[in-house]
Amino acid sequence: MTETNSSNGVQPESFAWDAESEAAIGRVVAKYPPGKQASGVIPLLYIVQNQMGRQTGSAWIPRAAMDAVAHRLGMAPIRVYEVATFYLMFNTKPIGKWHLQVCTTTPCWLRGSDAVVEACKAATGIGAFGETSEDGLFTMTEVECLGACVNAPVLQVNDDFYEDLDADSTRQLLDALRRDAPPRPGSVTGRQTSAPAGGPTTLTTLQNLGPPPPDAVQPPRER
Amino acid sequence: MAKVTVDGIVVEVPNGSTVLQACELAGKEIPRFCYHERLSIAGNCRMCLVEIEKAPKPVASCAFPVADNMVVKTDTPMVRNGRRGVMEFLLINHPLDCPICDQGGECDLQDQALGYGMDHTRYEENKRAVKDKNLGPLVKTVMTRCIHCTRCIRFVTEIAGVPDLGATSRGESLEVGTYVEKALGSELSGNIIDLCPVGALTSKPYAFVARPWELKKTDSVDVLDAVGTNIRIDSRGPEVLRILPRLNEEVNEEWLADKARFSMDGLKRRRLDRPWVRRDGKLVQATWGDAFTVIAERLQGVAGERIGALAGDLCDAESMVALKDLLTALGSANLDCRQDGVLLQAGRRDFYTFNSTIAAIEEADALLLIGTNPRREAPVINARIRKRWLASKMLIGLIGETAELTYDFQHVGGDAGAFDGLRDASAGFGKTLADANKPMVIVGQPALRQPGVLAAVWELAGAIGALAGEWHGFNVLHTAAARVGALDLGFVPGQGGRDLAGMLNGGVDVLWLLGADEFDTARIGRNTFVIYQGHHGDRGAARADVILPGSAYTEKSGTYVNTEGRVQRGLRAVYPPGEAREDWTIIRALSEVLGKTLPYDDLPGVRARLEQVNPVFGRTNFLPRFGVSDRSGPGQGSGRASGPFGVAIENYYQTDPISRASPTMAACTETFATTPLLQAAE
């Protein structure tokens, strides 16, 4: 995983924080006592990744940005490189606009993740895991358990989970993504959170209350 | 204290000790790869497994704290099985290339595989391959052999203070390296070669040169800086093949600076291996007899006060005392050892030594550096300062040129004008020093070139309480290995004698350079007859009229006094090349030709003479701690200190005839010239 100084041409020369990132950094750094700012390295790497996503459409972390994080937190650059390369959630190479993270761990695999993988390959033209489609829109990665086995198989697109997929629904999902109209995250079959498919079998009287409003289910994310 | 039973042996260990330490105390050897006494505990190799009663699984003893009444077993089926399993895992990806590996024969993994390895492998899969890293001209990497103990990472981060190495990625693809390709910008980088338990990090200049069992090992002392690092010289036949540190807790712990470790290829190049005599403006080869005759003829009728001698920075005390005795016999008091023009006098010893001692840096609670950059001048002492700083963030102030020293410091000023501000005990760094129980002042050579600085620093040390009956906080950091010994011998102008400046520009008719290369030889008078005695064809030899080939520090048994005033002896590892001889014997032989025969003709005789000149030479290795008995300072002298101090060493890697002749050091100079070593980030 060693980068070289004469990197492959994709590494930008410099990295500058934008206003939105600056505000987010302020919130992160304030959480830690003075002298312990290095604890904020993971949130800051996410901030970099989000900013790159906003600015270039490819949410990844260039080396110049790792240096900027190190400088900002007063740590040695190598300590940031270690963290950024350790976690698979941080992309150290450019990726497509939509990062398709297909879970292929046993529960998802039993429930048909192979079909999801095939559908992704067919729809995007990607040949294997880790590749990016020619139009630069999609990168497909194989990931281990995402913790949503009840609604297997699962596909994580950027930060959102799409569950209960099969070949058809995957194709529709990718079409929507291509139109830049991502559908509402969650089960694509309309299942209420992780309740049994077809509706609850216990506590059925609570059905009268109806499903909670969407914003109550998903509080706005803040990092 | 906790009572721990190890294999039936009851030992008492301090609370907070690890199980491994308790086992060591009980005399049980625990195999380990990642654990190292001087580094933080990582606990990632798992080789040190032991069984602890009531624990369900084997425990990694290096990272497990002792508890009272703990019962530890280090040799049970569970322990042996555990260690065998660990060894099998370590060997899954470790290549079987011992026959072509430089670590072979001194490899921890090899040795421990003998005890815990299987005779065959159960893995048919391909081994992992890892790309080698380029860490510069000193450290060679074969990263496929790496077992990820992380000792090198911890060393450069904690001890060297240059956090360049790290472990990137994870699991099967974990790699130790710099991530961004760059050379290790540390003067202590060679130590990671010693620390590496396998052959992943080896010495680049020593690659494929020798096997450890072929080498003759000789204990010696390093002379390329004034620390007096204890070294072991490994030689085969007439060649010095490598230099390794020797353990000495009071001086270098177990570290060795890169210049000392890697300069030995300079010992084979540009050597003076026979006498030379200048005839009709050209140096021609001569015999010892010719050379002595030429000198004897030239000295005929020259008055004593027209003869002078300069001692260089790498000289042993034996040759200096012999030369001093010869000059005295010839009626000359023109002696000097201070090529860099520092204003130090022989005489009271605590005016020119590192009085606190190096080990006592760990007791100090405030430190003031004056005109010194210990990172370049004495990397091993710098590591000790960093160790103290890491332990509890000792406050450090610096007067002089600012530099990256691997610890935080406060820049107090740039010249001698800053001394007055420090007398104010109510604010700033002056308050820090005044509040400290054991304040320490280290003054470097550049500062001591300015008149009055020695006296001013002594006075300042007194004012901040560094000169106490129990604590001597006044320290001079030397850069020349010979300097303290020369001052101890009184190799300075005697009554009515001329100093360096006085001897140059025609001040003397005959000038004897004993390995003196560190001054501008163009300043020697045009008609001055120059005798150069030394081992390398450097600046001094180029100007010489007669060259007497001497021996380098690896080729003679010599006495050296380090900056602390510690007298240490090095043994001869190899013979000098060609016609070259041990230096004191050359002077002794010439003295006979000149009719002034010196009264000693063997090494014990010279050493007895040394002790007679100054009793400190009778006490080798051991250095007693002492406080200040006499607080009166050195004389002010004339002139005033002004302007910045400057720096003692511009290029760490080439400071003396040996390192200037070394291709490895030249490569280092080239590598680190583009990325200025001492301004490197972090």
Side-chain angles (χ1 to χ4, degrees), chain A residues 94-215:
Chain A
I95 57 157
K97 181 177 180 189
W98 304 105
H99 189 192
L100 310 176
Q101 297 150 81
V102 194
C103 174
T104 56
T105 310
T106 317
C108 280
W109 176 72
L110 283 169
R111 297 281 298 145
S113 66
D114 283 353
V116 177
V117 172
E118 285 313 313
C120 286
K121 283 183 181 172
T124 61
I126 294 173
F129 289 118
E131 287 182 9
T132 301
S133 62
E134 272 175 23
D135 54 13
L137 276 180
F138 300 101
T139 298
M140 182 170 70
T141 316
E142 182 176 37
V143 296
E144 302 304 331
C145 186
L146 292 171
C149 314
V150 222
N151 294 2
V154 186
L155 169 62
Q156 186 187 347
V157 178
N158 294 354
D159 290 336
D160 296 322
F161 280 16
Y162 292 93
E163 300 149 4
D164 291 325
L165 292 164
D166 55 22
D168 261 346
S169 50
T170 305
R171 216 164 14 246
Q172 284 165 20
L173 171 64
L174 296 182
D175 282 344
L177 293 176
R178 212 184 276 282
R179 291 195 310 273
D180 222 357
R184 205 171 82 93
S187 170
V188 296
T189 58
R191 152 183 357 217
Q192 183 198 339
T193 62
S194 299
T201 55
T202 57
L203 303 176
T204 44
T205 51
L206 292 176
Q207 265 185 313
N208 300 340
L209 299 173
D215 53 333

Side-chain angles (χ1 to χ4, degrees), chain B residues 38 220-221 227-232 244-256 358-359 362 380 384 387 562 564 566-569 620-623:
Chain B
R38 292 178 211 280
S220 187
V221 179
V227 179
T229 303
N230 290 205
I231 54 170
R232 190 185 94 193
L244 298 175
R246 238 175 340 126
L247 186 73
N248 188 334
E249 292 292 346
E250 293 182 337
V251 182
N252 56 307
E253 298 177 279
E254 60 189 81
W255 314 128
L256 178 61
I358 295 169
E362 292 179 36
V380 172
R384 193 78 85 135
K387 182 181 181 186
N562 81 348
E564 299 169 287
R566 185 186 303 273
V567 180
Q568 301 185 107
R569 288 207 172 125
T620 50
N621 298 325
F622 173 69
L623 187 71

